Amino acid sequence: MADTMISEQVLAPIVENRAVAPDHVELIISSAVLSQAEPGQFAHILTPGMLRRPVSFSRIDQENGQVGLMFQIVGDGTRWLAERRHGEVLDILGPLGHGFAAPDPTKPWCLVGGGVGVPPLYAAAARYLHRSRPDVIIGARTADWVLMAQDFKDLGLDVTVATDDGTAGHAGTVMGPLETWLQDHPDGQVFACGPTPMLAAVSAACEGRATAYVALEQRMGCGIGACLACVVKAHGKEHAEYRRVCTEGPVFAAKELIW
Amino acid sequence: MADTMISEQVLAPIVENRAVAPDHVELIISSAVLSQAEPGQFAHILTPGMLRRPVSFSRIDQENGQVGLMFQIVGDGTRWLAERRHGEVLDILGPLGHGFAAPDPTKPWCLVGGGVGVPPLYAAAARYLHRSRPDVIIGARTADWVLMAQDFKDLGLDVTVATDDGTAGHAGTVMGPLETWLQDHPDGQVFACGPTPMLAAVSAACEGRATAYVALEQRMGCGIGACLACVVKAHGKEHAEYRRVCTEGPVFAAKELIW
Amino acid sequence: MVIDVSVSLPRGLTLKNPVIAASGTFGFGPEYSRYVDIGALGGVSVKGVSPEPWLGNPTPRVWETPLGLLNSIGLQNPGMDVFLQEDLPFLRDQNAVVIVNIIGHTVDEYAQVAARMNHEPGVAALEVNISCPNIKEGGMSFGQDPDQAYAVMKAVRQVTDLPVMVKLSPNVTYPGLIAQAVEAAGADMISAINTLVGLAIDIKHRRPALGGVTGGLSGPAIKPVALRVVYEVAQSVNIPIIGMGGIATATDVLEFLLAGAQAVMVGTVTFQYPKRMNEIIEALPQVLHEYGFASVRDAVGQALPGRAPIRGGGQ
Amino acid sequence: MVIDVSVSLPRGLTLKNPVIAASGTFGFGPEYSRYVDIGALGGVSVKGVSPEPWLGNPTPRVWETPLGLLNSIGLQNPGMDVFLQEDLPFLRDQNAVVIVNIIGHTVDEYAQVAARMNHEPGVAALEVNISCPNIKEGGMSFGQDPDQAYAVMKAVRQVTDLPVMVKLSPNVTYPGLIAQAVEAAGADMISAINTLVGLAIDIKHRRPALGGVTGGLSGPAIKPVALRVVYEVAQSVNIPIIGMGGIATATDVLEFLLAGAQAVMVGTVTFQYPKRMNEIIEALPQVLHEYGFASVRDAVGQALPGRAPIRGGGQ
Ligand SMILES: Cc1cc2nc3c(=O)[nH]c(=O)nc-3n(C[C@H](O)[C@H](O)[C@H](O)COP(=O)(O)OP(=O)(O)OC[C@H]3O[C@@H](n4cnc5c(N)ncnc54)[C@H](O)[C@@H]3O)c2cc1C
Ligand SMILES: Cc1cc2nc3c(=O)[nH]c(=O)nc-3n(C[C@H](O)[C@H](O)[C@H](O)COP(=O)(O)OP(=O)(O)OC[C@H]3O[C@@H](n4cnc5c(N)ncnc54)[C@H](O)[C@@H]3O)c2cc1C
Ligand SMILES: Cc1cc2nc3c(=O)[nH]c(=O)nc-3n(C[C@H](O)[C@H](O)[C@H](O)COP(=O)(O)O)c2cc1C
Ligand SMILES: Cc1cc2nc3c(=O)[nH]c(=O)nc-3n(C[C@H](O)[C@H](O)[C@H](O)COP(=O)(O)O)c2cc1C
Ligand code: FES
Ligand code: FES
């Protein structure tokens, strides 16, 4: 899959900069190379900091040679990115890593996203819709921060929302709706992306029932497998071992990992 | 004189940014405080670097509350400054240091400037013109880089130009025309500003003849006398001692200094 | 929200807040008084003072490096007598908590300055600088050897009742060992770090850029090294630490507190932003509150091993 | 303008240019081969290799600091057998000058790796890493004590004919002493510097930011310290020095040459700009020419004492 794919250093012009929620921006950038990405792969973006910033693709439009990068402003790098305007050019390494493989069309499918974990799931839904129709569970801190609900609906998908403060959908985390879904679909497959504690909970909830695939975040150096900064503990053949989020991941089968 | 003057941290808007020669820019900025400056004093300007950048005032227009800063682009700080536009605001400490005292009206007066040493001499000429009319010698590497010749002419002053490559005026340094002037005016007073080797030569040429005042450059830290970075060796009462260019200078009587 | 930012240190030394002007970057006070509200500072550590006047090093004495500053001032100072007569009165009149940074070529010279400062009205504490990289004899070498560091502190202790801090060099293999040596010799506090030895090259002239050849590196570039030394020393001794190195914001101050410092000094950033120490002091209560601390004291050492770390979301 | 950028080092080691990828920042080669023209590099120093696989440190393993990078990878590597079987062939096929960075918990482990690499086709030289701050036993402590540094180098020398460089730690009082010790033990070259020990604080979680607590500081922030160590070591030993620490441009390379390095390594900047080493190599002849040098060799050590400095205008 992604192994055979191209990855390059590209200079990609920004086509659009849109605010998608308070402190959340989506950049649409133009790059034929990046538009070859699998859902779940990421872009490693040059900013004024000492390290590039990893951001997953929110949309992958191969036809028009465009991709989306949706992110929350959390520090200097994302603030700088949020200020980039139409016509400015981003220096990006990508597409990088291993994304979500196509779901098994014979099994029920669910997407579980928390916060800025939602965008790569949308990319997966859009890519694999012709094989299978996922149920979608979106979690956020508050109603304003629910990302891409309308985008999923535009794909004709049902969306269940959960907010920590109850301002939209279920009050609480995604785990309530996910538990319901798992009870209805014990043989299902779950794609999840979001904060690490959420992924740990999803992984635990799926254990012995559904197959879970999770897209992880980890602090990165090189982004391409050379520096061993971005590792996560996994079950090796004999002992525990480290795998690289930037290369073997960011998407892993939940059962590979040691939580 | 300057001791009793104000010096503050001011936020001064740029009124005009004009190219005055290849790689030479003059910024006109608006600040009532800075326009109280004596000729030869300087502004300590915040740039993105770790230290502020000292630049002398090229013009001091007290009436309109404006001053000029004329500089050569030689590194990151001056490049950044050269890119500042009308309406942007500079963070400046100033006016700082001791400038040129008024010339003795009973003695012939000559200004000798090399390169970007010329601007503070123009400020001195403009300020003290009512007392005395200086002869002006301007040196530069090449014709394009002769600074402010027209400004001096607009004051009604005679200007002698010397260029290293002979593309304008005398071929050679300012020392040729200065020697001629000194022979004609052995009791004269000379105000000089330019590269340190030029100032050393001026000082030596004047010795035993004219009184020379020189405006020095030195790498600065604080710019206000606290860090002792910017010192120059001078004759103390008993021993050699260091004086601060930012505080006791930048203008010194040449005979105070140990060259 | 009432946040207590005061700091209590040994021998009755109290600071109204933990932000002290770092030695050598603030002269003897008057120069910055136009820009800085000196009375609002936690304290002022003055430029190093020796028994006799020192001339200092040849120029250039400063050079910029990536987010750092190299200096090679060479401890130019007018000597202790001129200091007391001409310079100290200004700061005393400002009611500043004055810390006199003392230097010498020999153990005896340190003791001379310390003795001279004892009982001088307006001197609140001494900072024994055994860590200046910019002089040939004495200076840093005292701070690079535990026995010599011990000897200097011991001699100083014998001649003064003032609170004494010893300023450590980061240019050693084990800063904790030097800290233990001076603690054993009677130091009341540690201040750390002095500058890292560095060099810049003037390519055009094919020579070291500074007149003194090597210089001391300060500024944001050294902050991680400074935090490491504070963190290590905090686990090596039982006396308070005044931390410094690259502090430019109130959150930087909080980092040093968490790493084990009780107070901080602020140097290089003042050259860019003369009012920054006052701004930090104003911002500090808000920053402490935001991160859940009710006082400066509350935050001290919270990142040291043995304190339960607050682990949260994210990674 | 024909500028000779080749470098001749001991035991017949020659580099087509002085720019080598620094250990730990370039993996074992294949990862960057998409972006970098590996064949055009002066050489590649691979990630540290130990006799058995090492797991490395907990995450987070990197943290940004002001113009610096803290890392605490902990020398994760697959061990020397896997390295030779699975990793070395790639670089050998690229005709890269491969420098194997070797690590161990004991003197004997260093010797084991050195012995294993001897006569392995494709291994051009060894770099003995006695300076990694990111492991508890061994690692840096060997590089902080002249006797231990001597012992490691001596053991390595006994089992290999390869050119050997020893990589120095800047986290010592006198780097020159360590350099002299390894020179006496038969080192052919010195490489310097490894990272400075630093710490960052994660304020939100009130703990050290890195999983390994302290980490190694690299990047532009440390360049002045690196130049100082190179400059000092160049005056302490008679063997060539490979300089590094914060190099990001061709003029940075020239600074290291002038300070006494014969070649350089480039690390952290590659994370930002993967093609930067190639760009530096392309720019270097022009930069040398501009400053009046006809070759890399010409520039080496020109800022050291005893060479007539070129003093010019300005100050
Ligand atoms: C594979 C991958 C995909 C990601 N996709 C997205 C996405 O689609 N949308 C989105 O909003 N965010 C995403 N993130 C997180 C995003 O990388 C960080 O929010 C961003 O790097 C923060 O940079 P900053 O300079 O604004 O923050 P700072 O906190 O100032 O950054 C400091 C350093 O920490 C790193 N860092 C900070 N937070 C994280 C984090 N959560 N994960 C990894 N490194 C971090 C930065 O890269 C930088 O090196 C992804 C992370 C990874 C690893
Ligand atoms: C009192 C005084 C008045 C000056 N007036 C003028 C003027 O009117 N016009 C003008 O063009 N230049 C003037 N200079 C020189 C000017 O300060 C430098 O050209 C400028 O600081 C270079 O900054 P940079 O970042 O572009 O160069 P860089 O070389 O990148 O600067 C690096 C560091 O070196 C310092 N530096 C570099 N060159 C000099 C220098 N010649 N003197 C002192 N510090 C230097 C910088 O301030 C900075 O800290 C004056 C200098 C002094 C001391
Ligand atoms: C120009 C300059 C002069 C200094 N002089 C002294 C000194 O006289 N005595 C001393 O103990 N430290 C001296 N220092 C070190 C500072 O007090 C401080 O330890 C160091 O700069 C780190 O803090 P910073 O990064 O906030 O500047 C000096 C630093 C600078 C930049
Ligand atoms: C992520 C990372 C990993 C490193 N791993 C090693 C290593 O395995 N062996 C070693 O000798 N040095 C290692 N280093 C140190 C570098 O080789 C180099 O000495 C240092 O980073 C300074 O150079 P730079 O500023 O150009 O990065 C590592 C550095 C980094 C940033
Ligand atoms: S970020 Fe370097 S290996 Fe993953
Ligand atoms: S620049 Fe600090 S004393 Fe002059």
Side-chain angles (χ1 to χ4, degrees):
Chain A
M1 193 188 59
D3 273 332
T4 59
M5 291 179 61
I6 19 161
S7 156
E8 288 182 19
Q9 182 174 10
V10 300
L11 296 175
I14 295 172
V15 177
E16 195 183 338
N17 171 325
R18 53 183 180 228
V20 294
D23 282 340
H24 286 72
V25 168
E26 185 171 32
L27 297 177
I28 305 297
I29 61 178
S30 172
S31 162
V33 169
L34 297 181
S35 76
Q36 307 297 312
E38 297 289 331
Q41 286 191 297
F42 68 95
H44 211 30
I45 313 168
L46 188 69
T47 72
M50 285 298 298
L51 294 172
R52 289 169 178 260
R53 298 312 193 243
V55 178
S56 310
F57 298 108
S58 54
R59 302 168 202 277
I60 302 166
D61 178 352
Q62 212 165 323
E63 212 170 312
N64 296 303
Q66 296 188 344
V67 294
L69 301 167
M70 189 182 292
F71 54 89
Q72 183 180 1
I73 301 174
V74 297
D76 288 346
T78 46
R79 188 170 311 111
W80 180 87
L81 275 176
E83 287 162 3
R84 294 312 99 200
R85 296 283 167 258
H86 177 87
E88 291 187 67
V89 168
L90 296 180
D91 180 333
I92 291 178
L93 300 183
L96 295 175
H98 279 82
F100 290 106
D104 179 343
T106 68
K107 290 185 178 165
W109 184 28
C110 182
L111 302 176
V112 184
V116 287
V118 173
L121 299 176
Y122 172 78
R127 173 67 55 94
Y128 299 125
L129 199 62
H130 65 281
R131 302 173 65 102
S132 188
R133 295 175 58 80
D135 293 311
V136 180
I137 304 173
I138 299 182
R141 229 195 288 166
T142 187
D144 276 356
W145 285 15
V146 174
L147 297 182
M148 302 195 95
Q150 190 57 47
D151 290 291
F152 284 107
K153 287 177 193 157
D154 290 348
L155 296 179
L157 299 174
D158 284 342
V159 177
T160 305
V161 167
T163 53
D164 294 350
D165 64 359
T167 47
H170 296 247
T173 72
V174 292
M175 295 313 294
L178 175 61
E179 186 52 37
T180 309
W181 189 88
L182 286 170
Q183 278 165 15
D184 295 347
H185 309 88
D187 61 336
Q189 50 195 332
V190 173
F191 287 14
C193 186
T196 306
M198 177 196 116
L199 298 181
V202 168
S203 173
C206 291
E207 210 178 318
R209 298 193 278 186
T211 324
Y213 297 91
V214 296
L216 296 185
E217 289 186 2
Q218 187 55 277
R219 303 243 156 188
M220 290 187 177
C222 65
I224 61 156
C227 75
L228 308 181
C230 65
V231 299
V232 59
K233 246 191 189 140
H235 300 287
K237 272 178 217 130
E238 290 163 40
H239 311 286
E241 64 183 34
Y242 279 122
R243 304 222 170 107
R244 296 166 298 185
V245 170
C246 71
T247 308
E248 284 83 46
V251 176
F252 294 92
K255 67 174 184 335
E256 288 180 68
L257 302 177
I258 300 172
W259 292 93
Chain B
M1 194 190 58
D3 273 332
T4 59
M5 292 181 58
I6 21 163
S7 157
E8 288 182 19
Q9 182 173 9
V10 300
L11 295 176
I14 295 172
V15 176
E16 195 184 337
N17 171 324
R18 53 182 180 229
V20 294
D23 283 339
H24 287 71
V25 168
E26 185 172 31
L27 297 177
I28 305 297
I29 61 177
S30 172
S31 162
V33 169
L34 297 181
S35 75
Q36 307 298 312
E38 297 289 331
Q41 286 192 297
F42 68 96
H44 211 30
I45 312 168
L46 188 69
T47 72
M50 284 299 297
L51 294 172
R52 289 169 178 261
R53 299 306 193 250
V55 178
S56 310
F57 299 107
S58 53
R59 305 168 200 276
I60 301 166
D61 178 352
Q62 211 165 326
E63 211 170 313
N64 296 302
Q66 296 187 346
V67 294
L69 302 166
M70 189 181 293
F71 54 89
Q72 183 180 1
I73 301 174
V74 298
D76 288 346
T78 46
R79 189 170 310 111
W80 181 87
L81 275 175
E83 288 163 3
R84 296 310 99 200
R85 296 284 167 257
H86 176 87
E88 291 188 66
V89 167
L90 296 180
D91 179 333
I92 291 178
L93 300 182
L96 295 175
H98 279 80
F100 290 106
D104 179 342
T106 67
K107 292 187 177 162
W109 182 28
C110 181
L111 303 175
V112 184
V116 288
V118 172
L121 298 176
Y122 172 78
R127 172 68 55 93
Y128 300 125
L129 198 63
H130 64 282
R131 301 174 66 103
S132 187
R133 295 176 56 80
D135 293 310
V136 180
I137 305 173
I138 299 181
R141 221 186 301 159
T142 187
D144 278 356
W145 285 14
V146 174
L147 298 183
M148 303 194 94
Q150 190 56 47
D151 291 290
F152 284 105
K153 287 177 193 156
D154 291 347
L155 295 180
L157 299 173
D158 285 341
V159 177
T160 305
V161 167
T163 52
D164 294 350
D165 65 358
T167 45
H170 296 247
T173 71
V174 292
M175 295 313 294
L178 176 61
E179 185 53 37
T180 309
W181 190 89
L182 286 170
Q183 279 165 12
D184 294 347
H185 311 88
D187 60 336
Q189 49 195 334
V190 173
F191 287 14
C193 185
T196 306
M198 178 196 114
L199 298 181
V202 168
S203 172
C206 291
E207 210 177 318
R209 299 194 278 185
T211 324
Y213 297 91
V214 296
L216 295 185
E217 289 185 1
Q218 187 55 278
R219 303 244 158 190
M220 292 187 175
C222 64
I224 62 156
C227 75
L228 308 181
C230 64
V231 298
V232 59
K233 245 189 191 140
H235 299 287
K237 270 177 222 133
E238 292 163 41
H239 311 286
E241 64 182 35
Y242 279 123
R243 304 221 171 108
R244 297 166 297 184
V245 169
C246 70
T247 308
E248 284 82 45
V251 176
F252 293 92
K255 67 173 183 336
E256 289 180 67
L257 303 176
I258 300 172
W259 291 93
Chain C
M1 163 188 110
V2 182
I3 304 287
D4 178 6
V5 296
S6 72
V7 180
S8 296
L9 295 168
R11 293 185 193 246
L13 182 64
T14 45
L15 312 179
K16 59 167 94 69
N17 64 64
V19 180
I20 303 167
S23 176
T25 62
F26 206 72
F28 296 124
E31 298 85 3
Y32 269 114
S33 60
R34 271 200 163 111
Y35 311 97
V36 178
D37 180 354
I38 292 180
L41 301 179
V44 173
S45 177
V46 299
K47 179 75 196 162
V49 175
S50 50
E52 301 292 325
W54 287 10
L55 200 54
N57 287 338
T59 57
R61 288 180 170 185
V62 287
W63 201 268
E64 283 182 302
T65 70
L67 285 186
L69 176 66
L70 277 174
N71 89 77
S72 160
I73 307 295
L75 293 173
Q76 178 180 338
N77 83 92
M80 62 186 181
D81 295 326
V82 175
F83 164 72
L84 286 177
Q85 217 176 307
E86 295 182 14
D87 298 306
L88 181 61
F90 175 85
L91 283 171
R92 188 170 51 215
D93 294 348
Q94 309 276 317
N95 286 316
V97 172
V98 178
I99 300 169
V100 179
N101 185 275
I102 71 176
I103 51 176
H105 292 120
T106 61
V107 171
D108 188 55
E109 284 193 10
Y110 280 99
Q112 279 177 50
V113 189
R116 186 80 174 77
M117 296 303 142
N118 208 22
H119 305 305
E120 272 294 331
V123 175
L126 301 182
E127 180 176 47
V128 183
N129 177 3
I130 55 168
S131 48
C132 181
N134 290 326
I135 49 171
K136 294 262 136 49
E137 333 150 50
M140 185 167 68
S141 65
F142 288 112
Q144 292 187 316
D145 178 76
D147 296 338
Q148 290 199 47
Y150 180 93
V152 171
M153 182 57 224
K154 193 85 192 170
V156 167
R157 183 75 291 162
Q158 272 156 6
V159 297
T160 186
D161 315 318
L162 284 167
V164 178
M165 63 189 79
V166 177
K167 189 161 179 184
L168 296 191
S169 171
N171 306 293
V172 300
T173 313
Y174 302 109
L177 290 184
I178 313 288
Q180 286 169 351
V182 299
E183 181 182 35
D188 301 302
M189 294 165 273
I190 298 291
S191 58
I193 59 174
N194 210 318
T195 51
L196 282 160
V197 188
L199 178 89
I201 297 287
D202 178 344
I203 300 187
K204 212 159 57 176
H205 303 115
R206 305 182 182 182
R207 61 175 304 280
L210 292 171
V213 182
T214 58
L217 184 64
S218 62
I222 71 168
K223 197 181 73 170
V225 175
L227 283 168
R228 183 261 301 178
V229 173
V230 168
Y231 181 85
E232 265 178 35
V233 171
Q235 295 170 72
S236 307
V237 296
N238 292 307
I239 50 179
I241 302 166
I242 319 285
M244 83 196 86
I247 292 176
T249 67
T251 47
D252 290 338
V253 173
L254 179 51
E255 290 174 14
F256 277 83
L257 297 177
L258 292 171
Q262 312 248 352
V264 299
M265 293 185 177
V266 175
T268 303
V269 75
T270 300
F271 298 159
Q272 283 175 298
Y273 303 101
K275 302 180 206 283
R276 182 57 61 89
M277 282 187 285
N278 290 132
E279 291 161 1
I280 289 175
I281 291 164
E282 268 166 47
L284 193 58
Q286 180 55 39
V287 168
L288 286 165
H289 179 72
E290 198 177 307
Y291 287 98
F293 300 103
S295 66
V296 162
R297 216 168 13 256
D298 253 22
V300 174
Q302 288 303 318
L304 291 170
R307 323 281 167 124
I310 312 244
R311 289 231 175 232
Q315 38 200 329
Chain D
M1 166 187 108
V2 182
I3 303 287
D4 179 6
V5 295
S6 71
V7 180
S8 296
L9 295 167
R11 294 189 192 242
L13 182 63
T14 44
L15 313 178
K16 59 168 93 67
N17 65 63
V19 180
I20 303 167
S23 176
T25 62
F26 206 72
F28 296 125
E31 298 84 3
Y32 270 113
S33 61
R34 273 202 161 107
Y35 311 97
V36 178
D37 181 354
I38 292 179
L41 301 179
V44 172
S45 176
V46 299
K47 180 75 197 161
V49 176
S50 50
E52 301 292 323
W54 287 9
L55 201 53
N57 286 340
T59 57
R61 288 180 170 185
V62 286
W63 200 268
E64 283 181 300
T65 71
L67 284 186
L69 176 66
L70 277 174
N71 89 78
S72 160
I73 308 295
L75 293 173
Q76 178 180 336
N77 82 91
M80 62 187 181
D81 295 326
V82 175
F83 165 71
L84 286 177
Q85 216 175 310
E86 295 181 14
D87 298 308
L88 180 61
F90 175 85
L91 284 171
R92 190 170 48 214
D93 293 349
Q94 309 276 317
N95 286 318
V97 172
V98 178
I99 300 168
V100 179
N101 185 275
I102 71 176
I103 51 175
H105 292 118
T106 60
V107 171
D108 188 54
E109 285 192 10
Y110 280 99
Q112 278 177 51
V113 188
R116 186 82 174 78
M117 296 303 143
N118 207 21
H119 305 303
E120 273 293 331
V123 175
L126 301 181
E127 181 177 48
V128 184
N129 177 2
I130 54 168
S131 48
C132 180
N134 290 326
I135 49 170
K136 294 264 138 46
E137 332 151 51
M140 187 167 66
S141 65
F142 288 111
Q144 292 187 316
D145 179 76
D147 295 340
Q148 290 198 45
Y150 180 92
V152 171
M153 182 57 224
K154 192 85 192 171
V156 166
R157 184 76 290 164
Q158 272 156 5
V159 297
T160 187
D161 315 317
L162 285 167
V164 177
M165 64 189 79
V166 177
K167 189 161 179 183
L168 297 190
S169 172
N171 306 292
V172 300
T173 312
Y174 302 109
L177 290 184
I178 313 288
Q180 286 168 350
V182 299
E183 182 183 36
D188 302 302
M189 294 165 273
I190 298 290
S191 59
I193 59 173
N194 210 318
T195 52
L196 282 161
V197 188
L199 177 89
I201 297 287
D202 178 344
I203 299 188
K204 211 159 58 177
H205 302 113
R206 304 182 182 181
R207 61 175 304 280
L210 291 172
V213 182
T214 58
L217 185 64
S218 62
I222 70 168
K223 198 181 73 171
V225 175
L227 284 167
R228 183 261 301 177
V229 172
V230 167
Y231 181 86
E232 266 179 32
V233 171
Q235 295 170 72
S236 307
V237 296
N238 293 307
I239 50 179
I241 302 167
I242 319 285
M244 82 196 86
I247 292 175
T249 66
T251 47
D252 290 339
V253 173
L254 180 51
E255 289 174 16
F256 277 84
L257 298 177
L258 292 171
Q262 311 249 353
V264 300
M265 294 185 177
V266 175
T268 304
V269 75
T270 300
F271 299 159
Q272 284 175 298
Y273 303 100
K275 301 181 206 285
R276 183 56 63 87
M277 282 188 285
N278 290 133
E279 291 161 0
I280 289 174
I281 291 164
E282 268 166 49
L284 193 58
Q286 180 56 41
V287 168
L288 286 165
H289 178 71
E290 196 177 311
Y291 287 98
F293 300 103
S295 66
V296 163
R297 215 169 13 253
D298 253 21
V300 174
Q302 289 303 319
L304 291 170
R307 322 282 166 121
I310 314 246
R311 291 226 175 238
Q315 43 199 331

